[in-house]
Amino acid sequence: MTETIRIEHKDFPQLTARRFGSGAQAIVLLHGFPADGRLWEEVVPVLGRDCTVVVPDFPGTGGSRLPEGDLSMEIMAGAVKVVLESQGIGEVVVAGHSMGGYAALAFAALYPRDVKGLSMVHSTAKADTEEKKEQRRKAIALIRKGGKEAFVKQMIPGLFSSDTRAQRPELLQRLTERALELPDESLVKFYEAMIIRPDRTEMLSSAAFPVQWVLGKEDTAVPLQSGLAQTSLTEVAFVSVYEHTGHMSMLERPEKLAADLERFTQYCYNR
Ligand code: MLT
């Protein structure tokens, strides 16, 4: 069963999320960029069989509106906290895809006692390099000049493996169409928030919770070697490397990802 959640809060004009399942083990799925909570739609039916699954739309996506002022990973993590509190959920496994992983790390830094486990799905604990920051500033300038469509169409193909690009063009099309629904201002604010996010490797190396790393062999956004190098940061790490997969396993390998997230969640609750 799916329940749609709508919240008004003093810090957020409107937040939306979806809730699936009613299991005792809870997992929150944080989407990446440029997307909204629908990104996880093929993963939740499997995960929701045994777990309570909460899928927020970050402010500025789906039905969630941007707050006044700048955005940061901490503000996005605060929105996640508000959604979870509205559902009476304290401890939770936090899974974040890429930008969602950056926000998941901020959540773990702000609310460490709430985190049963952290799943980094094609994500990194490192801050942007100077080169990456410069690329983002150029993209922001392009979007501000009305170039959102050019920006989105140029970025989406690179998020998928060569097999997916050749055999499943409908996945690229779906992601493109949904990305184009996002307001220009949201894309700009997310990129600005990513530019200023801190390195969280130190926080991770002293974390008390287990960490999962899901890596795509053909991911060019979070290259395999960079992901693998971070798997030794924590005492306990679940590591999955997906063949023929780029940056988008929730679309390219949804059943495998759901099974891996479920296994990790069970471990976090039963250890
Ligand atoms: C994402 O998928 O969320 C983006 O690739 C994150 C980023 O640009 O760093």
Side-chain angles (χ1 to χ4, degrees):
M1 209 188 75
T2 310
E3 190 190 326
T4 303
I5 301 161
R6 273 200 179 73
I7 303 162
E8 281 174 38
H9 183 269
K10 64 179 175 42
D11 298 331
F12 300 99
Q14 179 169 293
L15 290 175
T16 53
R18 279 161 295 271
R19 178 180 177 142
F20 309 80
S22 54
Q25 306 178 347
I27 179 166
V28 61
L29 303 176
L30 307 182
H31 66 83
F33 171 98
D36 57 39
R38 288 175 295 176
L39 189 70
W40 298 101
E41 68 197 350
E42 290 181 43
V43 170
V44 278
V46 184
L47 258 184
R49 287 199 297 246
D50 291 321
C51 304
T52 296
V53 188
V54 178
V55 187
D57 295 316
F58 278 127
T61 76
S64 294
R65 303 216 312 264
L66 281 170
E68 293 291 319
D70 293 337
L71 208 53
S72 66
M73 292 303 144
E74 290 75 13
I75 291 174
M76 290 156 66
V80 174
K81 176 76 174 163
V82 167
V83 169
L84 291 172
E85 274 178 344
S86 80
Q87 300 304 299
I89 296 174
E91 289 187 328
V92 68
V93 171
V94 186
H97 171 237
S98 202
M99 176 183 77
Y102 315 153
L105 287 163
F107 185 94
L110 289 170
Y111 316 108
R113 278 197 288 270
D114 291 352
V115 180
K116 291 291 284 181
L118 173 71
S119 179
M120 297 287 284
V121 181
H122 312 294
S123 193
T124 174
K126 291 188 180 293
D128 276 353
T129 60
E130 280 313 311
E131 191 189 348
K132 187 77 198 174
K133 287 182 186 175
E134 200 40 46
Q135 281 171 16
R136 294 201 202 277
R137 288 189 195 106
K138 285 192 179 135
I140 289 171
L142 175 63
I143 296 163
R144 285 210 164 115
K145 277 194 310 202
K148 174 171 76 178
E149 188 166 343
F151 165 70
V152 166
K153 289 194 165 159
Q154 163 272 306
M155 100 169 272
I156 299 283
L159 299 177
F160 293 88
S161 72
S162 51
D163 278 2
T164 309
R165 282 199 296 271
Q167 293 160 18
R168 306 208 48 204
E170 72 281 5
L171 294 183
L172 282 72
Q173 196 181 337
R174 193 199 306 168
L175 193 63
T176 304
E177 281 166 9
R178 291 180 178 180
L180 290 174
E181 288 172 16
L182 295 168
D184 292 12
E185 195 55 19
S186 300
L187 298 180
V188 166
K189 285 195 173 185
F190 285 133
Y191 257 16
E192 287 172 344
M194 287 190 243
I195 289 174
I196 59 166
R197 77 183 196 279
D199 184 289
R200 300 274 191 197
T201 49
E202 217 174 291
M203 188 275 288
L204 262 195
S205 45
S206 57
F209 46 77
V211 177
Q212 177 179 47
W213 299 88
V214 174
L215 304 164
K217 251 193 170 165
E218 294 184 41
D219 190 345
T220 52
V222 179
L224 180 60
Q225 289 314 322
S226 152
L228 284 176
Q230 295 174 57
T231 60
S232 56
L233 285 172
T234 50
E235 221 164 278
V236 178
F238 276 47
V239 183
S240 299
V241 177
Y242 293 10
E243 301 279 343
H244 309 293
T245 306
H247 189 61
M248 305 301 299
S249 59
M250 69 297 303
L251 300 176
E252 298 180 279
R253 300 274 174 279
E255 279 157 27
K256 182 164 170 42
L257 178 61
D260 282 341
L261 288 171
E262 190 171 26
R263 220 179 350 262
F264 179 64
T265 303
Q266 278 170 6
Y267 170 80
C268 292
Y269 274 89
N270 294 320
R271 79 197 180 104

